[in-house]
Amino acid sequence: MPKNEERIDKWLWCMRVFKTRTIATEACKKGRVTIKGATVKPSRPIKIGEVVDVKKPPVTYTFKVVGIPNGRLGAKLVPEYLENLTPQSQYDLLEMSRISGFVDRSKGLGRPTKREGRELAKFREETMDNFFLDWEDFDEEEDDV
């Protein structure tokens, strides 16, 4: 027997918008889920025909409620219960952020790349070699005195 309404956090989890219901609840509490421009609480009932906006930075997804399932669905069944109204510009924005994440990586942030690791090892090796060479020169100068 199909339902007429469901909690928004549970519906978002059932529709696989969020991986867990806890994450869906937190998104509602943080104001990332809106209906008709108004933020919603996790317990707000959602009805068929409503349009839900979900902000998952940098993208804002838009979904229309087509049906309310009895529980979590397999990914192939999701289109029977929701209509994705997200504009293509949002997906373009997502693709640009993915590409720029690799290109615009700031130096010194995160784990070094393989190339940076090799350069760092080479630098350390050269520095230590120079240190020991300088030390040998220091010892010889003492012997001369």
Side-chain angles (χ1 to χ4, degrees):
M1 181 171 118
K3 298 179 181 180
N4 292 334
E5 59 181 44
E6 181 68 78
R7 285 175 57 113
I8 184 75
D9 62 339
K10 187 172 181 182
W11 184 83
L12 290 168
W13 170 72
C14 289
M15 294 295 103
R16 297 182 171 269
V17 176
F18 292 102
K19 193 172 185 177
T20 66
R21 189 163 168 194
T22 304
I23 296 170
T25 302
E26 288 173 9
C28 292
K29 288 179 181 177
K30 291 179 180 178
R32 294 183 178 162
V33 179
T34 59
I35 296 176
K36 298 179 186 173
T39 58
V40 294
K41 292 182 177 180
S43 61
R44 184 197 185 277
I46 190 164
K47 298 175 181 122
I48 295 173
E50 289 185 315
V51 177
V52 180
D53 293 322
V54 180
K55 294 176 192 160
K56 291 173 94 175
V59 180
T60 301
Y61 296 96
T62 305
F63 304 109
K64 182 177 180 182
V65 180
V66 177
I68 310 280
N70 290 326
R72 189 159 165 97
L73 301 171
K76 291 182 179 180
L77 299 175
V78 168
E80 296 176 17
Y81 294 92
L82 74 83
E83 183 180 345
N84 191 347
L85 303 176
T86 307
Q88 184 60 38
S89 61
Q90 292 293 315
Y91 289 112
D92 294 341
L93 181 65
L94 181 63
E95 186 63 29
M96 288 302 293
S97 68
R98 283 183 183 160
I99 292 170
S100 67
F102 294 111
V103 174
D104 295 336
R105 181 177 167 266
S106 299
K107 296 287 183 185
L109 293 179
R111 186 175 176 176
T113 63
K114 195 171 187 177
R115 181 179 182 182
E116 292 168 340
R118 285 190 201 123
E119 290 172 355
L120 186 59
K122 185 178 177 183
F123 173 76
R124 285 182 184 155
E125 189 176 297
E126 290 173 359
T127 305
M128 291 305 289
D129 288 345
N130 290 337
F131 173 76
F132 288 122
L133 289 175
D134 292 342
W135 186 258
E136 289 172 1
D137 292 340
F138 181 74
D139 286 343
E140 291 173 8
E141 290 173 6
E142 279 185 7
D143 293 341
D144 293 339
V145 176

